[in-house]
Amino acid sequence: MAVVMRTALAIVAALAAAFVLVVAVELLSTIVHPTPPDFTGTQEEMCDHVARYPQWVLAAVVVAWSGTAWIGVWIATRLGGRTAALVVGLFLLAMVCFNVAMLPYPTWFKLAMPVCLAAGCWYGLHVAMRDQRRAPAAQGQL
């Protein structure tokens, strides 16, 4: 039961951290590419706004979301192990796929986002597992 609780709490903590980072990325993107003053948030207006995103902003978003995935999966792995990391990584990947399918992003962005996000997830898992393997050896040296 303790393992299940630890895994669940790790997932919640990692998703909370990822949520904060996603909000930060989105806030930064609204600063560099603000919505028009008369924007009401309809699907059509959102699609028009996304279609006008500068390419450099989209490239920065790919990097930022990949970093978000890396941090989220790293936290999940450190706190709850591989199962927590898998849940967090799959959840983030599903959300990215849903987002790029809904809005008219350029083709390169629709391809780059899931690939780079998956790479960020893998790297977060890899680094966290490496750190966990090193930790006992480092403690023995004290």
Side-chain angles (χ1 to χ4, degrees), residues 16-120:
F19 175 77
V20 168
L21 293 170
V22 166
V23 168
V25 170
E26 296 305 316
L27 285 173
L28 289 173
S29 73
T30 60
I31 291 169
V32 297
H33 183 64
T35 57
D38 59 341
F39 187 79
T40 61
T42 66
Q43 181 70 18
E44 184 178 320
E45 287 178 321
M46 184 57 71
C47 288
D48 289 342
H49 181 68
V50 165
R52 290 190 307 271
Y53 263 115
Q55 299 296 303
W56 72 269
V57 172
L58 294 176
V61 166
V62 169
V63 173
W65 270 69
S66 299
T68 296
W70 176 78
I71 291 168
V73 169
W74 183 87
I75 291 169
T77 306
R78 293 291 293 184
L79 298 178
R82 288 183 185 183
T83 302
L86 181 63
V87 170
V88 169
L90 288 175
F91 179 80
L92 293 174
L93 189 59
M95 293 302 101
V96 162
C97 289
F98 180 71
N99 184 15
V100 298
M102 257 178 65
L103 297 168
Y105 291 107
T107 302
W108 73 264
F109 184 81
K110 289 184 176 195
L111 296 172
M113 275 299 289
V115 169
C116 291
L117 189 111

